[in-house]
């Protein structure tokens, strides 16, 4: 079996409402569908979500990288030759989501060819994954209302709450959520590097009593001394995300002692490198969850397969991005019941593109 064609198709699906965080605003999923075909008639799909403020990629740069570099690099290869794929990708730097999407589309093909779902091919730890939902930004009452709505509708009890912009309001919001949602709720505030180290220490002390599951990226990722200071000041687990976008960065943050949880985003590291990250974290006694790039249902399914494959992904994963979108590109949208996404036994990723919707939303 050989790769015969690679496509990169940009698309835009509006969000139901704007996403606001400490470092940006998002009103639509403007992503790139990557599709790989083989001479056996199999087709693999994945998506590349550009985040220019984090990785420096754009829609146009991803399409160009796939069409000019990474796509031609895999033509003629057997999709099972993963090490050869990764070796060829090392000719270029950057472009993490472009290369990750191609590698995951190839994994989709491998699963189809082998007749097994991707999560079993990667490790087969479980067939269902608990999810964490990113709560829309707002005042305390609005955030509490959103948490209650997600709990009542989907059974979700783990909530990612954006902080890092107004420290006093952040503390008040987290207190309100804990009071109203009770002890069973898991609170995972994300500061997106919005605090300086001194403010981060003050906020962490103020919320210490609230049984916070983790706090994500309290201060700038280039401030090593500040990050170590913050980590030493609290018993709340700190999670690395923007500081841990590749294997080398993960190794560095672990050496610093700045994080005790690491978010694996398969949109930026694919399946193969994400496995390396998970194994490194396991060796260091650090747990993982699968983070989100505001993924559409395509990326959510990819993330669910990885989370289900790996025993070191012990925390609820951020697999709800498609809930924020007005529509979907898949024939069958993922479902969340009792706070879980359950994987099927369909080969590969087990998903199909709705070609009419792709035509409607493509750019």
């Amino acid at each position: 079996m050989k790769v015969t064609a690679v496509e990169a198709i940009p698309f835009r699906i509006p969000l139901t409402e704007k996403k606001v965080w400490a470092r940006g605003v998002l009103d639509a999923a403007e992503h790139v569908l990557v599709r790989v075909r083989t001479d056996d008639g199999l087709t693999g799909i994945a998506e590349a979500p550009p985040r220019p403020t984090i990785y420096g990629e754009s829609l146009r740069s991803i399409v160009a990288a796939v069409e000019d570099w990474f796509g031609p690099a895999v033509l003629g290869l057997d999709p099972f030759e993963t090490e050869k794929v990764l070796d060829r990708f090392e000719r270029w730097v950057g472009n993490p989501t472009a290369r990750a999407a191609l590698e995951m589309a190839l994994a989709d093909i491998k699963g189809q060819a082998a007749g097994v779902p991707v999560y079993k091919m990667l490790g087969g730890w479980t067939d269902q994954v608990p999810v964490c939902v990113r709560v829309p930004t707002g005042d305390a009452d609005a955030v509490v209302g959103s948490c209650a709505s997600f709990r009542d509708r989907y059974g979700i009890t783990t909530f990612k709450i954006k902080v890092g912009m107004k420290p006093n309001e952040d503390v008040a919001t987290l207190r309100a959520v804990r009071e109203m949602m009770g002890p069973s709720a898991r609170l995972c505030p994300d500061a997106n590097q919005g605090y300086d180290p001194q403010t981060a220490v003050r906020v962490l002390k103020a919320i210490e009593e609230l049984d916070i599951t983790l706090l994500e990226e309290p201060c700038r990722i280039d401030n090593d001394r500040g990050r170590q200071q913050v980590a030493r000041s609290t018993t709340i687990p700190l999670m690395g995300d923007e500081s841990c976008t590749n294997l080398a960065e993960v190794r560095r943050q672990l050496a610093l002692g700045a994080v005790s949880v690491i978010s694996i985003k398969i949109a930026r590291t694919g399946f193969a490198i994400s496995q390396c990250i998970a194994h490194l974290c396991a060796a260091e006694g650090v747990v993982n969850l699968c983070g989100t790039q505001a993924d559409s249902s395509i990326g959510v399914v990819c993330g669910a397969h990885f989370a289900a494959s790996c025993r070191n992904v012990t925390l609820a994963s951020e697999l709800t991005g498609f809930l924020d979108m007005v529509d979907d590109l898949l024939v069958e949208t993922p479902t969340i019941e009792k706070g879980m996404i359950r994987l099927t036994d369909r080969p590969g990723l087990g998903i199909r593109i709705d070609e009419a919707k792709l035509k409607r939303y493509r750019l």
Side-chain angles (χ1 to χ4, degrees):
M1 180 170 56
K2 304 295 182 184
V3 174
T4 56
V6 176
E7 295 177 277
I9 305 171
F11 65 91
R12 183 183 193 274
I13 300 177
L15 302 184
T16 55
E17 61 181 336
K18 285 185 178 180
K19 289 179 177 289
V20 181
W21 64 97
R23 295 171 66 86
V25 177
L26 194 68
D27 64 359
E30 295 185 341
H31 300 173
V32 179
L33 171 67
V34 174
R35 189 152 51 183
V36 179
R37 303 183 190 277
T38 70
D39 57 359
D40 279 7
L42 299 179
T43 299
I45 60 174
E47 76 172 326
R51 292 295 171 263
T53 59
I54 303 174
Y55 316 124
E57 290 177 298
S58 69
L59 280 178
R60 287 188 292 177
S61 77
I62 290 172
V63 171
V66 172
E67 291 181 345
D68 296 345
W69 303 331
F70 303 118
V74 301
L75 290 178
L77 285 182
D78 186 323
F80 283 92
E81 296 175 324
T82 304
E83 289 296 307
K84 290 183 180 179
V85 170
L86 297 178
D87 182 66
R88 292 189 181 188
F89 283 0
E90 288 180 1
R91 301 171 187 171
W92 303 279
V93 298
N95 300 283
T97 68
R99 65 178 75 211
L102 243 173
E103 187 259 319
M104 290 190 291
L106 292 170
D108 185 15
I109 291 171
K110 289 190 288 184
Q112 293 175 53
V116 297
V118 165
Y119 79 91
K120 285 188 176 180
M121 184 176 68
L122 294 177
W125 176 243
T126 183
D127 65 353
Q128 57 183 356
V129 181
V131 303
C132 168
V133 66
R134 182 224 184 262
V135 181
T137 306
D139 61 24
D141 289 341
V143 171
V144 169
S146 294
C147 292
S149 177
F150 284 119
R151 178 197 60 195
D152 296 344
R153 184 171 181 181
Y154 300 105
I156 299 172
T157 57
T158 302
F159 305 105
K160 179 171 182 170
I161 300 169
K162 290 295 185 178
V163 297
M165 292 170 276
K166 298 178 180 178
N168 292 336
E169 293 183 17
D170 295 342
V171 173
T173 295
L174 292 170
R175 284 178 176 163
V177 173
R178 173 56 72 207
E179 179 179 345
M180 297 303 296
M181 301 303 294
S184 63
R186 290 178 174 268
L187 309 186
C188 303
D190 178 9
N192 288 114
Q193 309 177 60
Y195 300 134
D196 60 73
Q198 293 72 31
T199 301
V201 170
R202 189 170 73 249
V203 169
L204 284 159
K205 287 182 178 178
I207 63 175
E208 190 90 38
E209 64 185 271
L210 299 180
D211 189 24
I212 301 296
T213 298
L214 59 88
L215 190 139
E216 183 175 339
E217 298 294 22
C219 55
R220 288 181 60 91
I221 63 175
D222 57 1
N223 187 346
D224 290 355
R225 182 176 298 177
R227 291 170 66 81
Q228 289 175 316
Q229 174 191 351
V230 174
R232 288 193 296 265
S233 75
T234 185
T235 61
I236 294 174
L238 302 181
M239 183 167 80
D241 175 16
E242 297 101 312
S243 62
C244 298
T245 63
N246 58 49
L247 182 60
E249 289 176 354
V250 170
R251 184 179 64 229
R252 182 173 179 276
Q253 291 300 314
L254 292 173
L256 279 175
V259 295
S260 52
V261 181
I262 287 176
S263 174
I264 294 177
K265 292 184 175 179
I266 49 88
R268 69 188 176 205
T269 45
F271 291 136
I273 302 302
S274 294
Q275 284 187 311
C276 295
I277 291 172
H279 294 158
L280 175 60
C281 290
E284 294 286 342
V286 170
V287 298
N288 301 120
L289 59 80
C290 278
T292 181
Q293 291 285 105
D295 306 299
S296 78
S297 53
I298 301 169
V300 164
V301 171
C302 289
H305 275 271
F306 183 80
S309 77
C310 180
R311 59 179 171 164
N312 207 53
V313 178
T314 62
L315 299 175
S317 292
E318 300 165 6
L319 302 173
T320 58
F322 68 100
L323 298 179
D324 299 325
M325 299 175 189
V326 301
D327 206 347
D328 193 273
L329 290 185
L330 294 184
V331 171
E332 183 180 345
T333 301
T335 57
I336 299 173
E337 296 179 349
K338 298 181 179 180
M340 310 283 281
I341 288 182
R342 184 178 293 276
L343 282 301
T344 73
D345 274 340
R346 290 195 292 266
L349 295 174
I351 54 179
R352 290 187 296 126
I353 295 294
D354 184 321
E355 296 297 333
K357 289 185 177 182
L358 178 58
K359 183 177 180 180
R360 182 187 314 164
Y361 293 113
R362 70 180 298 160
L363 297 173

